[in-house]
């Protein structure tokens, strides 16, 4: 019998999947506003992009509260310990059927590389995309806020686009890495049900 | 709309008067019809006899104030487009979403996305192939 642990709590799963949906909507509509293709039309894409952004900010307000009250924010503290072992696993071990060097527990559900990746996302990409996005959204109020002397729409838009490309690249890597559990869909299943079936290797 | 308008009593035409401005002829500065009509008609390049009077006028306006019906409103994409036929395609010196972009950011961003997908594909394929070899042993 493999061991099962309850790793993703109900709110966490709700947060994850609604955020996933909102980010996918924003990627599709955002690149349409950027002019990359024509699916919904500029007007609808802009409206939906803005609506999704405000919805995600609301979701984050709840999530930040949840992170602090549950202490789950500690899951994002970086540690350089065992990072080399993780890199070795992803570049070599995974192909030779070696055991996964990291064991998920309730208090440590992210492997060391994941911690670094999520911290980078939170510390660099997130501020870039939210700061530029909110400035973009309130472009009409720049003069009133006294910001028009320091900002140009071009720089704000280009910074926002840069963040969008980074998030999109992150998204594809993130989705690919979900397939690296002990079975292809093991991680996705855990994110849906909350229960992670521990790998037999480290029984 | 009902009103009283200045007109040319010789040519029997309505006249243009110079209404506003910080100069010697503007009507709202000097309240002088003589000067302001002369200046307005000179500016418009229209014939003016120099004699004027006032005439009652009645004007019929569409209730829509000439605003086009909503189906004919200008949609965003007529300007926010990369097409060379965009209404503001030739306006330079401004950044317009949907029309403008930074080609370096687009190039390297595009490569990052292709790289992310490609890396996942190659890594996954290698996993699949090595796993099969392992099982065949």
């Amino acid at each position: 019998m493999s061991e099962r642990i309850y790793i993703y709590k109900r709110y966490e799963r709700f947060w994850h999947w609604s955020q996933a949906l909102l980010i996918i909507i924003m990627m599709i509509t955002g690149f349409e506003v950027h002019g990359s293709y024509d699916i919904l039309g500029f007007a609808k894409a802009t409206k939906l992009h803005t609506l999704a952004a405000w919805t995600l900010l609301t979701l984050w307000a709840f999530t930040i509260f949840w992170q602090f009250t549950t202490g789950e924010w500690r899951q994002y503290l970086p540690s350089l310990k065992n990072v080399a072992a993780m890199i070795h696993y992803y570049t070599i071990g995974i192909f030779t059927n070696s055991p996964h060097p990291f064991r998920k527990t309730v208090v440590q559900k992210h492997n060391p590389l994941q911690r670094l990746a999520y911290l980078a996302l939170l510390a660099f990409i997130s501020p870039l995309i939210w700061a530029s996005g909110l400035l973009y959204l309130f472009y009409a109020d720049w003069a009133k806020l006294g910001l028009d002397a320091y900002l140009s729409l071009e720089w704000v838009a280009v910074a926002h686009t840069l963040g969008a490309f980074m998030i999109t690249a992150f998204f594809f890597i993130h989705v690919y890495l979900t397939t690296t559990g002990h079975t292809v869909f093991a991680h996705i299943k855990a994110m849906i049900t909350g229960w992670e079936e521990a790998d037999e290797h480290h029984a | 709309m009902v009103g009283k308008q200045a007109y040319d009593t010789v040519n029997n035409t309505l006249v243009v008067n110079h209404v506003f401005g910080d100069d010697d002829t503007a009507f709202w500065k000097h309240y002088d019809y003589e000067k302001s009509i002369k200046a307005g008609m000179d500016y418009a390049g229209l014939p003016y006899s120099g004699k004027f009077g006032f005439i009652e006028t009645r004007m019929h306006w569409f209730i829509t104030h000439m605003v086009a019906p909503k189906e004919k409103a200008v949609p965003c994409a007529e300007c926010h487009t990369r097409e060379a036929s965009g209404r503001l395609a030739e306006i330079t010196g401004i950044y317009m979403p949907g029309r403008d972009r930074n080609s370096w950011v687009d190039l390297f961003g595009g490569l990052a996305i292709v790289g992310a997908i490609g890396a996942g594909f190659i890594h996954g394929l290698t996993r699949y192939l090595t796993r099969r070899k392992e099982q065949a042993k």
Side-chain angles (χ1 to χ4, degrees):
Chain A
M1 275 289 282
S2 61
E3 185 194 343
R4 290 175 89 225
I5 47 171
Y6 189 57
I7 214 151
Y8 301 114
K9 287 154 201 80
R10 193 181 294 115
Y11 177 75
E12 203 170 11
R13 286 175 277 141
F14 167 76
W15 162 42
H16 176 269
W17 290 112
S18 38
Q19 172 167 294
L21 178 72
L22 290 167
I23 288 178
I24 290 168
I25 289 173
M26 281 193 281
M27 286 193 296
I28 295 171
T29 55
F31 280 105
E32 174 149 17
V33 172
H34 184 55
S36 304
Y37 42 73
D38 189 11
I39 300 174
L40 297 162
F42 188 89
K44 246 190 209 147
T46 308
K47 235 181 236 170
L48 197 57
H49 194 77
T50 309
L51 179 68
W54 284 118
T55 311
L56 186 55
L57 281 178
T58 311
L59 182 67
W60 273 27
F62 284 98
T63 302
I64 290 167
F65 177 79
W66 178 84
Q67 299 282 359
F68 283 133
T69 51
T70 58
E72 287 285 313
W73 61 275
R74 289 191 194 87
Q75 302 274 4
Y76 301 91
L77 290 178
S79 137
L80 290 173
K81 238 174 80 188
N82 300 325
V83 167
M86 279 310 304
I87 293 174
H88 185 270
Y89 176 71
Y90 280 131
T91 51
I92 295 157
I94 196 166
F95 304 124
T96 57
N97 217 7
S98 307
H100 198 288
F102 177 74
R103 186 182 178 155
K104 271 190 202 185
T105 63
V106 176
V107 287
Q108 267 199 328
K109 63 187 168 217
H110 299 143
N111 74 51
L113 265 188
Q114 260 180 311
R115 284 175 172 243
L116 286 182
Y118 289 140
L119 189 71
L121 188 69
L122 228 72
F124 302 111
I125 304 180
S126 239
L128 174 69
I129 207 153
W130 283 112
S132 59
L134 286 167
L135 286 170
Y136 210 153
L137 208 51
F138 288 99
Y139 175 64
D141 297 314
W142 284 9
K144 207 167 64 191
L145 298 168
L147 293 170
D148 53 335
Y150 311 100
L151 297 168
S152 86
L153 182 63
E154 176 164 16
W155 278 103
V156 168
V158 168
H160 197 63
T161 313
L162 186 69
F165 276 115
M166 292 199 274
I167 292 263
T168 308
F170 178 92
F171 169 83
F172 283 110
I173 294 171
H174 177 72
V175 172
Y176 169 66
L177 287 174
T178 65
T179 67
T180 59
H182 66 277
T183 66
V184 170
F185 296 110
H187 287 332
I188 291 182
K189 219 170 101 188
M191 202 29 122
I192 294 170
T193 63
W195 290 92
E196 176 92 22
E197 271 167 47
D199 192 339
E200 287 147 24
H201 277 297
H202 52 62
Chain B
M1 248 168 50
V2 176
K4 267 190 184 164
Q5 311 279 326
Y7 82 113
D8 185 324
T9 50
V10 176
N11 294 328
N12 273 331
T13 53
L14 288 170
V15 295
V16 178
N17 71 358
H18 172 40
V19 182
F20 180 81
D22 192 12
D23 54 41
D24 298 331
T25 53
F27 183 78
W28 290 118
K29 195 158 174 89
H30 307 283
Y31 304 104
D32 186 332
Y33 268 112
E34 189 118 32
K35 278 187 185 172
S36 71
I37 292 171
K38 176 84 180 73
M41 292 305 270
D42 280 351
Y43 181 82
L46 294 169
Y48 177 50
S49 68
K51 294 200 170 72
F52 69 94
F54 292 90
I55 192 164
E56 282 186 8
T57 57
R58 194 172 290 255
M59 196 175 178
H60 295 280
W61 279 44
F62 289 105
I63 201 162
T64 55
H65 301 263
M66 315 303 279
V67 173
K70 69 174 179 187
E71 308 81 57
K72 288 190 179 165
V74 178
C76 305
E78 287 205 13
C79 299
H80 293 275
T81 174
R82 287 186 187 175
E83 303 285 321
S85 59
R87 279 173 182 256
L88 298 181
E90 281 166 32
I91 304 294
T92 55
I94 56 158
Y95 182 91
M96 188 156 49
R99 185 192 72 169
D100 300 322
R101 60 200 157 128
N102 181 302
S103 49
W104 288 105
V105 168
D106 272 28
L107 176 67
F108 286 107
L111 286 175
I113 293 175
V114 171
I117 297 171
F121 185 75
I122 291 167
H123 196 271
L125 192 70
T126 315
R127 254 168 73 211
Y128 174 73
L129 294 174
T130 52
R131 198 61 52 93
R132 253 188 9 170
K133 218 188 271 170
E134 201 83 4
Q135 278 166 355
K137 271 186 204 164

